Amino acid sequence: AQKITQTQPGMFVQEKEAVTLDCTYDTSDPSYGLFWYKQPSSGEMIFLIYQGSYDQQNATEGRYSLNFQKARKSANLVISASQLGDSAMYFCAMSTNNAGNMLTFGGGTRLMVKP
Amino acid sequence: KAGVTQTPRYLIKTRGQQVTLSCSPISGHRSVSWYQQTPGQGLQFLFEYFSETQRNKGNFPGRFSGRQFSNSRSEMNVSTLELGDSALYLCASRGQITNEKLFFGSGTQLSVL
């Protein structure tokens, strides 16, 4: 079975500062993918970044980077230069070969950016 | 390219009724999956369809069903609605590669009174 844990229910960050959102995962499948999604109040889930279990380098997408520590089973999201529009719920999720295309989500972290 | 389209955006039903939600995937995507999001249970996988066949199913009662058409559009149906079925229902589509990212629609907010 797969499990995703996000231990920070809510976080504040000052505008223009960097913030790290924590995510730990558990799976026995050696082949898996880790995702981060952003969900603003409108409800849509917006894809941010993806890391494959065999990827050698940490994924980056613009202001988003994924700090992938395989031995620790962690996949933390780092947002650099926070903007007011970054205020939203953030979900870490995992898919595994054994589970097909099913995503297992964590409980989410609500990020609030202060002006 | 148009994104994932879900209709309707909001829906209000009463207990015992049934409801059908619709999802049009991104053009060329043949996999469509459905998720239920509630404050208490978070995001939970309902089922996935690929080329009109259900490929995977989550742990939901038989009142929840779905189907996929030859054009990859998908519908999910919930019969005999219960108050606990009130949720945001999200549809997502993806290409054929395993572990490829899912693209989500804006969801259908269902309220059961």
Side-chain angles (χ1 to χ4, degrees):
Chain A
Q2 292 74 242
K3 187 175 181 182
I4 294 282
T5 303
Q6 295 180 253
T7 57
Q8 305 153 312
M11 287 191 70
F12 283 96
V13 65
Q14 199 67 42
E15 191 179 10
K16 299 180 185 176
E17 290 186 349
V19 63
T20 298
L21 306 185
D22 295 340
C23 172
T24 58
Y25 61 92
D26 189 27
T27 180
S28 57
D29 195 327
S31 178
Y32 52 89
L34 295 158
F35 304 77
W36 276 92
Y37 284 88
K38 172 185 177 181
Q39 188 179 42
S41 55
S42 61
E44 182 182 2
M45 298 285 280
I46 301 168
F47 168 80
L48 294 178
I49 198 166
Y50 166 81
Q51 179 86 42
S53 58
Y54 296 118
D55 292 344
Q56 296 296 314
Q57 293 189 326
N58 287 344
T60 59
E61 293 274 0
R63 293 188 299 113
Y64 305 106
S65 60
L66 200 152
N67 185 1
F68 181 46
Q69 298 188 46
K70 199 169 183 177
R72 291 187 171 186
K73 292 191 173 180
S74 74
N76 298 339
L77 176 71
V78 180
I79 306 175
S80 63
S82 296
Q83 302 171 356
L84 296 178
D86 294 335
S87 294
M89 282 291 291
Y90 288 80
F91 291 94
C92 180
M94 175 171 62
S95 68
T96 67
N97 267 354
N98 287 340
N101 286 325
M102 181 187 84
L103 279 184
T104 300
F105 284 88
T109 295
R110 180 170 296 282
L111 178 66
M112 291 151 282
V113 181
K114 297 186 289 185
Chain B
K1 232 180 193 181
V4 178
T5 305
Q6 289 188 248
T7 56
R9 184 71 178 92
Y10 300 95
L11 208 47
I12 299 175
K13 292 285 187 179
T14 56
R15 277 185 304 172
Q17 287 186 309
Q18 67 97 27
V19 67
T20 299
L21 312 181
S22 179
C23 172
S24 293
I26 290 172
S27 177
H29 284 187
R30 292 161 64 189
S31 167
V32 174
S33 50
W34 291 87
Y35 290 80
Q36 182 198 62
Q37 185 177 23
T38 60
Q41 299 297 318
L43 281 147
Q44 294 184 287
F45 172 77
L46 280 157
F47 27 66
E48 184 209 0
Y49 287 86
F50 184 85
S51 294
E52 303 179 65
T53 301
Q54 187 179 86
R55 195 156 67 171
N56 212 345
K57 189 177 190 305
N59 189 25
F60 278 82
R63 300 185 297 106
F64 291 80
S65 63
R67 59 177 176 169
Q68 187 180 32
F69 302 95
S70 58
N71 62 358
S72 293
R73 190 178 71 86
S74 177
E75 289 181 347
M76 70 162 277
N77 184 276
V78 188
S79 63
T80 320
L81 284 165
E82 300 177 359
L83 296 179
D85 297 333
S86 295
L88 179 66
Y89 290 88
L90 291 160
C91 168
S93 75
R94 79 198 308 170
Q96 292 180 257
I97 303 171
T98 301
N99 293 336
E100 189 178 343
K101 62 188 177 189
L102 279 174
F103 292 91
F104 283 85
S106 297
T108 294
Q109 183 68 53
L110 172 66
S111 297
V112 182
L113 307 178

